[in-house]
Amino acid sequence: MGLNKTLPTNPGDGKTSYANNSSFQNVVISKTWDLVDETLRNMWEKGGLSDYCYNMVDLGCASGPNSLSFVTHVIHAIQDLRKNSNDSPEFRFFMNDLPENDFNSLFKLVENFNDGKEVVCQLSRSGCFVYGLPGSFYSRLFPRKTLHFAYSSNSLHWLSQVPRGLESKNKENIYISITSPPEVIDAYAEQYKRDLSTFLRMRGEEMVPGGRMVLTIIGRRFEDPTSKEVSRQLTMLAHTLLEMVVQGLLEKDDLYSFNVPVYMPCQEEVDYIINDEGSFKIDKIVTFPVRWDANKLVDELPFDKNRSGKLVANCIRAFMEPLLVSHFGKLMNCDDLFRRYAERVGEHLSKERSEASYVVHFFDYEI
């Protein structure tokens, strides 16, 4: 089965849906508002926001409210920049994800979404039109030189496929870990280089002169891809799966052949790929940490390992469940798996919460 069928997040608005379990992603997005505003101001000052109609895209939008928050934030920011202009711009805002994404729920949400300033469905009255755009962002999505502003958050660590040649070489691991053989590490890094280079080439063909692209990528601080800051969470999931194998609940061969198609790069890797591909020049790079259990609604409460363990497990489940069910089949009991995983994560956070953070790289590129 192709990854298009297995990578989409959990649909709908139920208790395991991505829409209700993407608080971490929301925190990442909110931490970049000032940086996005600065990018838009730079575009304005250089004449990049002088057209009458702007084409903008959220690449990897998923199906929850996060993408709609971004739409309204960008529209309001541009309207503020142009408030002294004589004309009113119009916007085409494209919501892009794989064809199997739950676009129906996303556009139902549009009708009821309010970001505290304006209901999204009312933006059409001021010239904003929102469209669905199914397709892989590792392919062309727009005609040449028509895209003004591209944005992607929490998506570009996903690969287009599991690196070729892994088979069962990674054994009880499901991602890169300290015990992964060198050929596994190299295969992941090479796949990421190919994918990001393709992504950049596609966007380079699509963007207008003076266009900008903002990427927020989950990555790592250190050059060593086996560093625990990125591998720990998936290593704990692998240990949970192994526990179920030992208890006869899953097949060992299924675990040995399971590898997650993600790669979390360091800044230097991304820099090298950008410069080598050549379509864009880097204007700004900012790196910041975000805790695994980041959640605006509970961050002010005292730490509770059970609550934090469930927050992390529910977030991971929201995007991993389709992949797990596709690979392990009917034997996969996700309720049981993520109950066990939540307990394991909670215990880890109770001992090392200060170190349990993702590293987020914010990149601002100019065509």
Side-chain angles (χ1 to χ4, degrees):
M1 182 179 290
L3 287 183
N4 278 16
K5 299 287 186 181
T6 58
L7 280 185
T9 56
N10 275 347
D13 59 0
K15 66 178 184 178
T16 64
S17 67
Y18 181 86
N20 287 324
N21 294 283
S22 52
S23 58
F24 170 87
Q25 291 86 342
N26 179 261
V27 170
V28 171
I29 292 171
S30 65
K31 284 180 175 289
T32 66
W33 284 151
D34 289 344
L35 297 168
V36 170
D37 289 347
E38 185 178 344
T39 297
L40 294 171
R41 280 195 300 273
N42 289 339
M43 286 183 69
W44 170 250
E45 291 169 359
K46 294 181 179 180
L49 292 177
S50 58
D51 290 350
Y52 181 73
C53 184
Y54 306 114
N55 292 322
M56 303 185 170
V57 63
D58 182 353
L59 299 157
C61 64
S63 59
N66 292 340
S67 190
L68 300 181
S69 295
F70 179 74
V71 171
T72 54
H73 184 91
V74 169
I75 299 305
H76 289 304
I78 294 176
Q79 288 173 336
D80 286 343
L81 289 168
R82 294 189 58 126
K83 61 186 176 183
N84 295 323
S85 299
N86 295 326
D87 60 341
S88 298
E90 293 190 328
F91 307 90
R92 296 188 191 99
F93 214 111
F94 295 88
M95 316 292 277
N96 161 256
D97 214 308
L98 294 171
E100 296 299 316
N101 184 57
D102 187 5
F103 285 102
N104 286 336
S105 292
L106 179 62
F107 284 97
K108 287 178 182 177
L109 183 62
V110 166
E111 297 183 0
N112 301 307
F113 181 78
N114 191 315
D115 71 339
K117 298 177 182 178
E118 189 171 10
V119 181
V120 171
C121 64
Q122 293 177 344
L123 286 177
S124 61
R125 301 173 190 172
S126 58
C128 177
F129 303 90
V130 180
Y131 303 87
L133 180 61
S136 168
F137 51 50
Y138 293 122
S139 64
R140 277 283 300 278
L141 297 169
F142 292 91
R144 295 178 188 276
K145 300 188 183 305
T146 59
L147 183 60
H148 294 81
F149 184 72
Y151 172 85
S152 181
S153 183
N154 299 289
S155 297
L156 269 170
H157 57 290
W158 285 104
L159 302 172
S160 64
Q161 63 180 52
V162 174
R164 292 189 181 94
L166 295 190
E167 286 89 28
S168 297
K169 294 178 182 176
N170 215 16
K171 298 271 178 161
E172 295 170 359
N173 302 309
I174 62 174
Y175 178 58
I176 296 170
S177 84
I178 194 71
T179 61
S180 296
E183 57 264 35
V184 169
I185 299 170
D186 292 342
Y188 267 102
E190 285 299 316
Q191 184 65 49
Y192 183 76
K193 181 181 179 181
R194 284 193 297 271
D195 283 345
L196 184 57
S197 296
T198 299
F199 175 89
L200 294 167
R201 187 172 68 255
M202 298 298 99
R203 304 296 82 77
E205 294 177 7
E206 296 166 348
M207 299 199 77
V208 302
R212 299 293 280 263
M213 181 166 65
V214 169
L215 308 178
T216 305
I217 303 174
I218 305 299
R220 65 182 192 272
R221 218 180 262 104
F222 308 109
E223 291 191 23
D224 181 7
T226 67
S227 58
K228 66 179 182 180
E229 64 178 345
V230 295
S231 64
R232 180 66 61 82
Q233 217 176 68
L234 288 176
T235 296
M236 284 192 286
L237 183 59
H239 290 167
T240 309
L241 289 166
L242 180 60
E243 178 182 273
M244 296 177 72
V245 167
V246 171
Q247 294 176 2
L249 302 174
L250 295 173
E251 295 292 337
K252 180 176 69 174
D253 288 345
D254 288 340
L255 174 59
Y256 282 11
S257 62
F258 182 63
N259 291 282
V260 183
V262 300
Y263 185 78
M264 288 163 273
C266 64
Q267 178 187 316
E268 291 77 10
E269 280 179 290
V270 179
D271 288 350
Y272 174 81
I273 296 169
I274 294 291
N275 292 326
D276 185 60
E277 194 280 325
S279 295
F280 293 86
K281 59 181 179 181
I282 300 174
D283 187 69
K284 183 188 295 84
I285 302 172
V286 178
T287 297
F288 55 91
V290 180
R291 287 195 335 270
W292 292 357
D293 58 345
N295 184 305
K296 291 180 180 178
L297 297 179
V298 301
D299 276 353
E300 301 303 318
L301 299 176
F303 171 72
D304 180 277
K305 69 176 184 179
N306 294 322
R307 179 175 59 229
S308 285
K310 289 178 181 178
L311 278 173
V312 175
N314 289 343
C315 178
I316 298 296
R317 179 174 183 173
F319 58 78
M320 281 290 295
E321 183 166 5
L323 196 61
L324 289 161
V325 171
S326 173
H327 183 83
F328 289 93
K330 294 181 180 180
L331 289 177
M332 175 51 64
N333 182 336
C334 284
D335 288 340
D336 185 24
L337 170 65
F338 287 100
R339 176 190 59 78
R340 296 167 184 249
Y341 182 60
E343 292 175 358
R344 194 181 293 268
V345 172
E347 287 298 326
H348 175 75
L349 291 176
S350 68
K351 300 171 184 176
E352 297 187 41
R353 189 173 185 235
S354 62
E355 297 183 8
S357 296
Y358 283 113
V359 172
V360 179
H361 303 306
F362 175 93
F363 295 92
D364 178 6
Y365 303 119
E366 185 174 3
I367 190 71

